[in-house]
Amino acid sequence: MSQTATATATAIAPPRRIAALALPALVVLAAEPLYVLVDTAVVGHLGRVPLAALAVGGTVMTLTAWLGTVLAYGITGRAARRFGSGDRAAAVAEGVQASWLALGVGVLVALAMQLGGGALARTLAGGGDDVAGAAAQWLRIAALGAPGLLLAAAGNGWLRGIQDTRRPLVFVLAPNLLSALLCPLLVYPAGLGLAGSAVANAVAQTVSGALFAAALVRERVSLRPRPRLIRQQLALSRDLLVRGVAFQASFLSATAVAARFGAAAVGAHQIALQLWFFTALVLDALAIAAQALIGAALGAGDAAGARALARRFALLGGVAGIGFAVLIAAGAGVVPSWFSSDPQVREQAMVAWPWFVAMQPLAGVVFALDGVLIGAGDVRYLRNLTIVAALGGFLPAIWLAHGLDLGLGGIWAGLTLFIVIRLVALLLRLRSGGWAVTGAVR
Protein backbone atom coordinates (compact mmCIF):
# COMPACT_ATOMS: atom_id res chain seq x y z
CA MET A 1 0.00 0.00 0.00
CA SER A 2 1.40 3.40 -0.98
CA GLN A 3 1.87 6.17 1.55
CA THR A 4 -0.83 8.20 -0.23
CA ALA A 5 -3.34 5.34 -0.07
CA THR A 6 -2.50 4.72 3.57
CA ALA A 7 -3.06 8.39 4.40
CA THR A 8 -6.37 8.35 2.49
CA ALA A 9 -7.63 5.27 4.34
CA THR A 10 -6.59 6.75 7.67
CA ALA A 11 -8.33 10.04 6.90
CA ILE A 12 -11.55 8.30 5.86
CA ALA A 13 -11.60 5.71 8.62
CA PRO A 14 -9.25 6.02 11.56
CA PRO A 15 -9.34 2.99 13.88
CA ARG A 16 -11.61 4.87 16.29
CA ARG A 17 -14.15 5.45 13.50
CA ILE A 18 -14.13 1.78 12.50
CA ALA A 19 -14.64 0.78 16.14
CA ALA A 20 -17.45 3.34 16.50
CA LEU A 21 -19.31 1.61 13.66
CA ALA A 22 -18.40 -2.00 14.43
CA LEU A 23 -19.00 -2.16 18.19
CA PRO A 24 -22.61 -0.86 18.20
CA ALA A 25 -23.32 -3.11 15.21
CA LEU A 26 -22.02 -6.06 17.25
CA VAL A 27 -24.39 -5.23 20.13
CA VAL A 28 -27.33 -4.98 17.73
CA LEU A 29 -26.38 -8.29 16.08
CA ALA A 30 -26.10 -10.00 19.48
CA ALA A 31 -29.33 -8.57 20.95
CA GLU A 32 -31.71 -10.94 19.15
CA PRO A 33 -29.79 -14.22 19.86
CA LEU A 34 -29.46 -13.21 23.51
CA TYR A 35 -33.19 -12.50 23.76
CA VAL A 36 -33.93 -15.88 22.16
CA LEU A 37 -31.90 -17.51 24.94
CA VAL A 38 -33.97 -15.67 27.57
CA ASP A 39 -37.21 -16.64 25.83
CA THR A 40 -36.10 -20.27 25.62
CA ALA A 41 -35.20 -20.33 29.32
CA VAL A 42 -38.59 -18.89 30.31
CA VAL A 43 -40.63 -21.23 28.10
CA GLY A 44 -38.47 -24.22 28.97
CA HIS A 45 -39.93 -24.28 32.48
CA LEU A 46 -43.43 -24.77 31.03
CA GLY A 47 -42.53 -28.28 29.92
CA ARG A 48 -41.42 -30.31 26.92
CA VAL A 49 -44.33 -29.53 24.57
CA PRO A 50 -44.19 -25.70 24.87
CA LEU A 51 -40.41 -25.78 24.41
CA ALA A 52 -40.72 -27.94 21.30
CA ALA A 53 -43.46 -25.62 20.00
CA LEU A 54 -41.20 -22.61 20.53
CA ALA A 55 -38.45 -24.36 18.59
CA VAL A 56 -40.81 -25.00 15.66
CA GLY A 57 -42.36 -21.51 15.61
CA GLY A 58 -39.05 -19.83 16.32
CA THR A 59 -37.52 -21.45 13.23
CA VAL A 60 -40.05 -19.65 11.02
CA MET A 61 -39.46 -16.28 12.70
CA THR A 62 -35.70 -16.81 12.48
CA LEU A 63 -36.11 -17.23 8.73
CA THR A 64 -38.10 -13.98 8.64
CA ALA A 65 -35.31 -12.24 10.58
CA TRP A 66 -32.81 -13.61 8.07
CA LEU A 67 -34.81 -12.03 5.23
CA GLY A 68 -34.54 -8.76 7.17
CA THR A 69 -30.77 -9.14 7.46
CA VAL A 70 -30.53 -9.61 3.69
CA LEU A 71 -32.53 -6.40 3.19
CA ALA A 72 -30.40 -4.49 5.73
CA TYR A 73 -27.10 -5.53 4.14
CA GLY A 74 -28.32 -4.48 0.70
CA ILE A 75 -29.60 -1.08 1.79
CA THR A 76 -26.50 -0.18 3.81
CA GLY A 77 -24.27 -0.03 0.72
CA ARG A 78 -26.82 1.90 -1.35
CA ALA A 79 -27.47 4.46 1.40
CA ALA A 80 -23.74 4.78 2.12
CA ARG A 81 -23.01 5.65 -1.52
CA ARG A 82 -25.62 8.41 -1.49
CA PHE A 83 -24.32 9.66 1.83
CA GLY A 84 -20.72 9.62 0.62
CA SER A 85 -21.70 11.68 -2.44
CA GLY A 86 -22.94 14.39 -0.07
CA ASP A 87 -26.65 13.73 -0.62
CA ARG A 88 -27.98 12.74 2.79
CA ALA A 89 -31.59 13.21 1.68
CA ALA A 90 -31.11 10.65 -1.11
CA ALA A 91 -29.51 8.24 1.38
CA VAL A 92 -32.54 8.56 3.65
CA ALA A 93 -34.82 8.17 0.61
CA GLU A 94 -33.23 4.73 0.11
CA GLY A 95 -34.36 4.00 3.64
CA VAL A 96 -37.91 5.15 2.86
CA GLN A 97 -38.22 2.76 -0.08
CA ALA A 98 -36.60 -0.10 1.83
CA SER A 99 -39.08 0.49 4.62
CA TRP A 100 -42.03 0.28 2.23
CA LEU A 101 -40.59 -2.96 0.90
CA ALA A 102 -40.05 -4.29 4.43
CA LEU A 103 -43.55 -3.30 5.52
CA GLY A 104 -45.11 -5.02 2.50
CA VAL A 105 -43.19 -8.26 3.03
CA GLY A 106 -43.89 -8.14 6.78
CA VAL A 107 -47.65 -7.79 6.25
CA LEU A 108 -47.57 -10.70 3.79
CA VAL A 109 -45.73 -12.86 6.34
CA ALA A 110 -48.23 -11.94 9.07
CA LEU A 111 -51.21 -12.75 6.83
CA ALA A 112 -49.62 -15.98 5.59
CA MET A 113 -49.13 -17.19 9.15
CA GLN A 114 -52.77 -16.47 10.04
CA LEU A 115 -53.93 -18.51 7.05
CA GLY A 116 -51.26 -21.20 6.80
CA GLY A 117 -49.54 -21.21 10.20
CA GLY A 118 -51.34 -24.38 11.26
CA ALA A 119 -50.32 -26.36 8.17
CA LEU A 120 -46.76 -25.09 8.38
CA ALA A 121 -46.51 -25.99 12.08
CA ARG A 122 -47.81 -29.52 11.39
CA THR A 123 -45.26 -29.96 8.62
CA LEU A 124 -42.35 -28.79 10.75
CA ALA A 125 -43.51 -30.68 13.85
CA GLY A 126 -43.63 -33.97 11.94
CA GLY A 127 -47.16 -34.87 12.90
CA GLY A 128 -47.02 -34.29 16.66
CA ASP A 129 -50.51 -32.89 17.29
CA ASP A 130 -49.76 -31.33 20.69
CA VAL A 131 -46.57 -29.65 19.53
CA ALA A 132 -48.06 -28.61 16.18
CA GLY A 133 -51.13 -27.04 17.81
CA ALA A 134 -49.06 -25.09 20.34
CA ALA A 135 -46.57 -24.03 17.64
CA ALA A 136 -49.38 -22.79 15.38
CA GLN A 137 -50.82 -20.67 18.19
CA TRP A 138 -47.40 -19.19 19.00
CA LEU A 139 -46.66 -18.55 15.34
CA ARG A 140 -49.94 -16.77 14.58
CA ILE A 141 -49.38 -14.35 17.46
CA ALA A 142 -45.63 -13.83 16.99
CA ALA A 143 -46.07 -13.25 13.24
CA LEU A 144 -48.04 -10.09 13.99
CA GLY A 145 -44.64 -8.59 14.83
CA ALA A 146 -43.20 -9.44 11.38
CA PRO A 147 -43.90 -5.97 9.88
CA GLY A 148 -42.05 -4.35 12.81
CA LEU A 149 -39.23 -6.88 12.61
CA LEU A 150 -38.59 -6.14 8.94
CA LEU A 151 -39.06 -2.38 9.37
CA ALA A 152 -36.34 -2.51 12.02
CA ALA A 153 -34.06 -4.39 9.63
CA ALA A 154 -34.57 -1.76 6.92
CA GLY A 155 -33.98 0.96 9.51
CA ASN A 156 -30.73 -0.62 10.58
CA GLY A 157 -29.66 -0.64 6.94
CA TRP A 158 -30.20 3.02 6.09
CA LEU A 159 -28.98 4.33 9.45
CA ARG A 160 -25.75 2.37 9.12
CA GLY A 161 -25.48 3.78 5.62
CA ILE A 162 -25.47 7.34 6.97
CA GLN A 163 -23.05 6.15 9.69
CA ASP A 164 -25.49 6.64 12.54
CA THR A 165 -24.93 3.76 14.94
CA ARG A 166 -26.36 5.33 18.10
CA ARG A 167 -30.04 5.25 17.18
CA PRO A 168 -30.07 1.61 15.97
CA LEU A 169 -28.47 0.61 19.26
CA VAL A 170 -31.26 2.29 21.24
CA PHE A 171 -34.06 1.22 18.87
CA VAL A 172 -33.06 -2.46 19.11
CA LEU A 173 -31.85 -2.78 22.69
CA ALA A 174 -34.75 -0.96 24.41
CA PRO A 175 -37.53 -3.12 22.85
CA ASN A 176 -35.53 -6.30 23.48
CA LEU A 177 -35.15 -5.36 27.14
CA LEU A 178 -38.89 -4.61 27.29
CA SER A 179 -39.61 -8.02 25.81
CA ALA A 180 -37.23 -9.76 28.22
CA LEU A 181 -39.21 -8.20 31.10
CA LEU A 182 -42.64 -8.86 29.55
CA CYS A 183 -42.00 -12.48 28.63
CA PRO A 184 -41.79 -14.00 32.15
CA LEU A 185 -44.57 -11.72 33.40
CA LEU A 186 -46.98 -12.71 30.62
CA VAL A 187 -46.02 -16.39 30.69
CA TYR A 188 -46.37 -16.89 34.47
CA PRO A 189 -48.16 -14.22 36.60
CA ALA A 190 -50.50 -13.26 33.75
CA GLY A 191 -51.13 -16.94 33.06
CA LEU A 192 -50.82 -16.73 29.26
CA GLY A 193 -48.30 -19.57 29.10
CA LEU A 194 -46.66 -20.08 25.70
CA ALA A 195 -48.88 -17.39 24.16
CA GLY A 196 -47.27 -14.87 26.52
CA SER A 197 -43.91 -15.50 24.86
CA ALA A 198 -45.43 -14.80 21.44
CA VAL A 199 -47.09 -11.59 22.66
CA ALA A 200 -43.79 -10.37 24.13
CA ASN A 201 -42.03 -11.06 20.82
CA ALA A 202 -44.68 -9.26 18.76
CA VAL A 203 -44.74 -6.25 21.09
CA ALA A 204 -40.95 -5.84 21.04
CA GLN A 205 -40.72 -6.12 17.27
CA THR A 206 -43.59 -3.71 16.70
CA VAL A 207 -42.09 -1.13 19.07
CA SER A 208 -38.70 -1.46 17.39
CA GLY A 209 -40.19 -1.06 13.91
CA ALA A 210 -42.19 1.98 15.06
CA LEU A 211 -39.04 3.64 16.43
CA PHE A 212 -37.23 3.20 13.11
CA ALA A 213 -40.29 4.44 11.18
CA ALA A 214 -40.48 7.51 13.43
CA ALA A 215 -36.81 8.20 12.70
CA LEU A 216 -37.66 8.33 8.99
CA VAL A 217 -40.52 10.73 9.59
CA ARG A 218 -38.22 13.05 11.57
CA GLU A 219 -35.87 13.26 8.57
CA ARG A 220 -38.57 15.29 6.75
CA VAL A 221 -38.08 13.61 3.37
CA SER A 222 -40.81 12.46 0.99
CA LEU A 223 -42.43 9.24 2.20
CA ARG A 224 -44.03 8.48 -1.18
CA PRO A 225 -43.29 4.99 -2.54
CA ARG A 226 -41.03 4.96 -5.64
CA PRO A 227 -41.51 1.65 -7.47
CA ARG A 228 -38.38 2.02 -9.64
CA LEU A 229 -36.14 2.39 -6.61
CA ILE A 230 -37.88 -0.50 -4.85
CA ARG A 231 -37.26 -2.71 -7.91
CA GLN A 232 -33.55 -1.84 -7.77
CA GLN A 233 -33.43 -2.76 -4.10
CA LEU A 234 -35.28 -6.00 -4.83
CA ALA A 235 -32.68 -6.96 -7.45
CA LEU A 236 -29.88 -6.39 -4.93
CA SER A 237 -31.73 -8.30 -2.22
CA ARG A 238 -32.42 -11.14 -4.67
CA ASP A 239 -28.69 -11.70 -5.24
CA LEU A 240 -28.01 -11.64 -1.50
CA LEU A 241 -30.93 -14.01 -0.93
CA VAL A 242 -29.61 -16.52 -3.49
CA ARG A 243 -26.20 -16.30 -1.83
CA GLY A 244 -27.79 -16.93 1.54
CA VAL A 245 -29.70 -19.95 0.24
CA ALA A 246 -26.40 -21.43 -0.96
CA PHE A 247 -25.01 -21.01 2.56
CA GLN A 248 -28.09 -22.58 4.16
CA ALA A 249 -28.01 -25.56 1.80
CA SER A 250 -24.33 -26.11 2.53
CA PHE A 251 -24.67 -26.06 6.31
CA LEU A 252 -27.81 -28.24 6.28
CA SER A 253 -25.95 -30.75 4.12
CA ALA A 254 -22.99 -30.73 6.50
CA THR A 255 -25.31 -31.50 9.43
CA ALA A 256 -27.00 -34.26 7.43
CA VAL A 257 -23.64 -35.89 6.67
CA ALA A 258 -22.49 -35.52 10.29
CA ALA A 259 -25.68 -37.29 11.42
CA ARG A 260 -24.71 -40.28 9.28
CA PHE A 261 -21.55 -40.67 11.36
CA GLY A 262 -23.57 -41.15 14.56
CA ALA A 263 -25.03 -39.17 17.45
CA ALA A 264 -21.66 -38.27 18.98
CA ALA A 265 -20.38 -36.90 15.67
CA VAL A 266 -23.45 -34.76 14.97
CA GLY A 267 -23.44 -33.50 18.57
CA ALA A 268 -19.80 -32.47 18.29
CA HIS A 269 -20.49 -30.91 14.89
CA GLN A 270 -23.31 -28.84 16.38
CA ILE A 271 -21.03 -27.56 19.16
CA ALA A 272 -18.27 -26.52 16.76
CA LEU A 273 -20.70 -25.09 14.20
CA GLN A 274 -22.54 -22.92 16.74
CA LEU A 275 -19.22 -21.60 18.05
CA TRP A 276 -18.21 -20.87 14.46
CA PHE A 277 -21.49 -18.99 13.95
CA PHE A 278 -20.68 -16.97 17.09
CA THR A 279 -17.26 -15.95 15.76
CA ALA A 280 -18.94 -15.10 12.44
CA LEU A 281 -21.37 -12.84 14.34
CA VAL A 282 -18.47 -10.87 15.81
CA LEU A 283 -16.68 -10.65 12.47
CA ASP A 284 -19.93 -9.55 10.80
CA ALA A 285 -19.78 -6.38 12.89
CA LEU A 286 -16.51 -5.56 11.14
CA ALA A 287 -18.12 -6.36 7.79
CA ILE A 288 -20.98 -3.93 8.56
CA ALA A 289 -18.45 -1.15 9.24
CA ALA A 290 -16.83 -2.02 5.90
CA GLN A 291 -20.19 -1.78 4.10
CA ALA A 292 -20.81 1.73 5.42
CA LEU A 293 -17.31 3.13 4.91
CA ILE A 294 -16.61 1.54 1.51
CA GLY A 295 -19.97 2.69 0.19
CA ALA A 296 -19.33 6.22 1.44
CA ALA A 297 -15.84 6.34 -0.10
CA LEU A 298 -17.08 5.15 -3.50
CA GLY A 299 -20.06 7.51 -3.33
CA ALA A 300 -17.59 10.34 -2.77
CA GLY A 301 -15.67 9.27 -5.90
CA ASP A 302 -12.63 8.10 -3.93
CA ALA A 303 -11.74 4.76 -5.53
CA ALA A 304 -8.15 4.90 -4.23
CA GLY A 305 -9.38 5.49 -0.70
CA ALA A 306 -11.89 2.64 -1.04
CA ARG A 307 -9.15 0.24 -2.17
CA ALA A 308 -6.94 1.32 0.73
CA LEU A 309 -9.83 0.84 3.13
CA ALA A 310 -10.49 -2.63 1.69
CA ARG A 311 -6.91 -3.65 2.40
CA ARG A 312 -7.19 -2.26 5.91
CA PHE A 313 -10.37 -4.21 6.57
CA ALA A 314 -8.79 -7.39 5.21
CA LEU A 315 -5.89 -6.89 7.62
CA LEU A 316 -8.22 -6.20 10.56
CA GLY A 317 -10.26 -9.28 9.70
CA GLY A 318 -7.13 -11.41 9.62
CA VAL A 319 -5.94 -10.04 12.97
CA ALA A 320 -9.37 -10.69 14.54
CA GLY A 321 -9.31 -14.21 13.10
CA ILE A 322 -5.88 -14.87 14.58
CA GLY A 323 -7.17 -13.69 17.95
CA PHE A 324 -10.08 -16.13 17.74
CA ALA A 325 -7.74 -18.93 16.65
CA VAL A 326 -5.57 -18.41 19.74
CA LEU A 327 -8.58 -18.38 22.07
CA ILE A 328 -10.19 -21.43 20.46
CA ALA A 329 -6.93 -23.39 20.53
CA ALA A 330 -6.43 -22.53 24.20
CA GLY A 331 -9.97 -23.69 25.00
CA ALA A 332 -9.70 -27.02 23.20
CA GLY A 333 -9.66 -29.09 26.37
CA VAL A 334 -12.32 -27.06 28.17
CA VAL A 335 -14.91 -25.51 25.86
CA PRO A 336 -16.54 -28.73 24.51
CA SER A 337 -17.23 -29.84 28.09
CA TRP A 338 -19.37 -26.69 28.58
CA PHE A 339 -21.83 -28.11 26.05
CA SER A 340 -21.70 -31.84 26.69
CA SER A 341 -20.67 -34.22 29.45
CA ASP A 342 -20.59 -37.14 26.99
CA PRO A 343 -16.95 -38.26 26.52
CA GLN A 344 -17.62 -39.48 22.97
CA VAL A 345 -19.02 -36.09 21.96
CA ARG A 346 -15.97 -34.35 23.44
CA GLU A 347 -13.68 -36.82 21.64
CA GLN A 348 -15.41 -36.10 18.32
CA ALA A 349 -15.18 -32.35 18.97
CA MET A 350 -11.40 -32.72 19.13
CA VAL A 351 -11.50 -34.18 15.60
CA ALA A 352 -13.09 -30.97 14.26
CA TRP A 353 -11.13 -28.62 16.52
CA PRO A 354 -7.84 -28.31 14.53
CA TRP A 355 -9.81 -27.39 11.41
CA PHE A 356 -11.93 -24.96 13.43
CA VAL A 357 -8.79 -23.23 14.71
CA ALA A 358 -7.00 -23.19 11.35
CA MET A 359 -9.84 -21.57 9.43
CA GLN A 360 -10.29 -18.60 11.79
CA PRO A 361 -7.66 -16.24 10.28
CA LEU A 362 -8.85 -17.15 6.77
CA ALA A 363 -12.51 -16.62 7.70
CA GLY A 364 -11.67 -13.27 9.28
CA VAL A 365 -10.34 -11.98 5.96
CA VAL A 366 -13.23 -13.54 4.02
CA PHE A 367 -15.95 -11.95 6.17
CA ALA A 368 -14.26 -8.56 6.04
CA LEU A 369 -13.99 -8.68 2.24
CA ASP A 370 -17.61 -9.83 1.98
CA GLY A 371 -18.48 -6.56 3.74
CA VAL A 372 -16.25 -4.61 1.36
CA LEU A 373 -17.94 -6.00 -1.75
CA ILE A 374 -21.46 -5.64 -0.33
CA GLY A 375 -20.65 -2.01 0.47
CA ALA A 376 -19.39 -1.59 -3.09
CA GLY A 377 -22.58 -3.13 -4.50
CA ASP A 378 -20.58 -5.97 -6.08
CA VAL A 379 -23.19 -8.45 -4.90
CA ARG A 380 -23.53 -10.43 -8.13
CA TYR A 381 -19.89 -11.44 -7.87
CA LEU A 382 -20.44 -12.56 -4.27
CA ARG A 383 -23.53 -14.52 -5.29
CA ASN A 384 -21.74 -16.35 -8.09
CA LEU A 385 -18.67 -17.00 -5.94
CA THR A 386 -20.74 -18.52 -3.12
CA ILE A 387 -22.61 -20.80 -5.52
CA VAL A 388 -19.36 -21.97 -7.17
CA ALA A 389 -17.62 -22.50 -3.81
CA ALA A 390 -20.61 -24.44 -2.47
CA LEU A 391 -21.36 -26.59 -5.53
CA GLY A 392 -17.76 -26.99 -6.66
CA GLY A 393 -16.01 -27.31 -3.32
CA PHE A 394 -17.95 -27.64 -0.09
CA LEU A 395 -20.80 -30.01 -1.07
CA PRO A 396 -18.66 -32.46 -3.09
CA ALA A 397 -16.07 -32.50 -0.29
CA ILE A 398 -18.49 -33.32 2.50
CA TRP A 399 -20.36 -36.00 0.54
CA LEU A 400 -16.99 -37.48 -0.45
CA ALA A 401 -16.17 -37.53 3.26
CA HIS A 402 -19.36 -39.54 3.74
CA GLY A 403 -18.54 -41.93 0.88
CA LEU A 404 -14.98 -42.52 2.09
CA ASP A 405 -16.05 -42.63 5.75
CA LEU A 406 -13.70 -39.78 6.69
CA GLY A 407 -15.79 -38.77 9.68
CA LEU A 408 -16.13 -35.32 11.19
CA GLY A 409 -12.61 -34.36 10.12
CA GLY A 410 -13.65 -34.74 6.48
CA ILE A 411 -16.67 -32.47 6.98
CA TRP A 412 -14.58 -29.73 8.57
CA ALA A 413 -11.90 -30.11 5.92
CA GLY A 414 -14.70 -29.44 3.42
CA LEU A 415 -15.75 -26.33 5.33
CA THR A 416 -12.14 -25.13 5.32
CA LEU A 417 -12.00 -25.72 1.56
CA PHE A 418 -15.16 -23.60 1.22
CA ILE A 419 -13.40 -20.76 3.05
CA VAL A 420 -10.16 -21.15 1.04
CA ILE A 421 -11.96 -21.00 -2.33
CA ARG A 422 -13.79 -17.85 -1.30
CA LEU A 423 -10.62 -16.30 0.13
CA VAL A 424 -8.63 -16.81 -3.08
CA ALA A 425 -11.44 -15.47 -5.27
CA LEU A 426 -12.03 -12.45 -3.01
CA LEU A 427 -8.32 -11.56 -2.95
CA LEU A 428 -8.21 -11.79 -6.75
CA ARG A 429 -11.28 -9.55 -6.97
CA LEU A 430 -9.73 -7.11 -4.52
CA ARG A 431 -6.52 -6.96 -6.55
CA SER A 432 -8.40 -6.43 -9.83
CA GLY A 433 -10.08 -3.25 -8.58
CA GLY A 434 -13.13 -4.04 -10.73
CA TRP A 435 -15.39 -3.73 -7.72
CA ALA A 436 -14.38 -0.11 -6.98
CA VAL A 437 -16.99 1.64 -9.13
CA THR A 438 -17.48 5.23 -7.99
CA GLY A 439 -20.62 7.37 -7.96
CA ALA A 440 -23.79 7.79 -5.94
CA VAL A 441 -25.26 4.68 -7.58
CA ARG A 442 -23.55 1.63 -9.05
Side-chain angles (χ1 to χ4, degrees):
M1 187 187 299
S2 69
Q3 288 184 346
T4 301
T6 303
T8 304
T10 304
I12 293 173
R16 185 175 297 178
R17 183 63 188 145
I18 293 174
L21 287 169
L23 292 178
L26 174 59
V27 175
V28 170
L29 287 169
E32 183 67 20
L34 288 174
Y35 170 70
V36 170
L37 287 176
V38 173
D39 198 20
T40 303
V42 171
V43 171
H45 291 286
L46 289 172
R48 186 182 304 167
V49 169
L51 185 59
L54 177 63
V56 171
T59 299
V60 178
M61 293 308 293
T62 296
L63 179 60
T64 305
W66 174 59
L67 290 174
T69 300
V70 169
L71 176 62
Y73 280 11
I75 196 61
T76 294
R78 288 181 61 90
R81 276 182 175 268
R82 305 280 195 181
F83 183 70
S85 71
D87 194 346
R88 179 191 169 95
V92 177
E94 291 282 351
V96 171
Q97 305 313 311
S99 296
W100 280 117
L101 177 59
L103 182 62
V105 173
V107 169
L108 287 176
V109 169
L111 289 174
M113 290 306 103
Q114 306 314 308
L115 298 174
L120 181 59
R122 286 191 295 273
T123 301
L124 292 175
D129 290 340
D130 290 345
V131 172
Q137 180 195 32
W138 187 93
L139 195 51
R140 289 190 183 101
I141 299 170
L144 297 176
L149 174 65
L150 293 179
L151 272 173
N156 265 302
W158 71 265
L159 281 167
R160 288 169 184 164
I162 65 171
Q163 300 186 23
D164 182 344
T165 56
R166 183 184 61 82
R167 283 187 287 176
L169 190 63
V170 174
F171 295 169
V172 170
L173 274 185
N176 270 276
L177 288 172
L178 171 65
S179 190
L181 292 171
L182 274 179
C183 184
L185 292 174
L186 294 175
V187 169
Y188 294 109
L192 295 181
L194 181 63
S197 160
V199 171
N201 272 270
V203 167
Q205 289 159 1
T206 301
V207 169
S208 184
L211 289 172
F212 280 104
L216 271 180
V217 172
R218 285 195 295 271
E219 293 286 338
R220 300 188 182 280
V221 298
S222 171
L223 299 179
R224 179 175 58 86
R226 294 167 57 186
R228 184 182 65 83
L229 200 53
I230 292 175
R231 283 195 298 271
Q232 291 173 358
Q233 293 178 354
L234 273 171
L236 186 63
S237 297
R238 177 201 62 209
D239 290 336
L240 287 169
L241 186 63
V242 171
R243 175 175 176 263
V245 168
F247 279 125
Q248 298 295 329
S250 297
F251 292 125
L252 285 173
S253 295
T255 300
V257 173
R260 285 160 172 77
F261 291 127
V266 75
H269 175 71
Q270 179 69 4
I271 290 170
L273 190 64
Q274 290 305 313
L275 288 170
W276 191 73
F277 285 157
F278 174 76
T279 63
L281 181 76
V282 177
L283 293 169
D284 257 355
L286 187 62
I288 287 170
Q291 291 170 30
L293 293 170
I294 292 291
L298 292 174
D302 188 1
R307 287 192 289 268
L309 270 173
R311 290 189 285 270
R312 168 169 285 200
F313 274 108
L315 178 62
L316 288 172
V319 169
I322 290 170
F324 277 126
V326 171
L327 290 173
I328 292 164
V334 179
V335 174
S337 64
W338 295 350
F339 299 91
S340 176
S341 58
D342 188 320
Q344 290 186 348
V345 172
R346 295 202 300 268
E347 181 182 342
Q348 284 293 310
M350 288 302 97
V351 174
W353 219 258
W355 295 103
F356 184 27
V357 172
M359 75 168 64
Q360 291 303 311
L362 311 180
V365 178
V366 167
F367 294 156
L369 292 181
D370 279 349
V372 166
L373 295 194
I374 291 173
D378 199 16
V379 178
R380 186 171 297 178
Y381 181 84
L382 283 176
R383 178 200 66 190
N384 294 340
L385 169 58
T386 305
I387 292 171
V388 168
L391 297 181
F394 189 22
L395 293 176
I398 61 173
W399 286 106
L400 183 64
H402 172 54
L404 299 178
D405 199 25
L406 298 178
L408 203 54
I411 294 174
W412 279 77
L415 181 55
T416 304
L417 176 63
F418 185 50
I419 294 293
V420 169
I421 292 172
R422 290 168 61 205
L423 175 64
V424 171
L426 286 168
L427 289 174
L428 289 174
R429 185 64 170 171
L430 180 68
R431 184 177 180 182
S432 75
W435 56 275
V437 179
T438 58
V441 291
R442 183 181 172 94

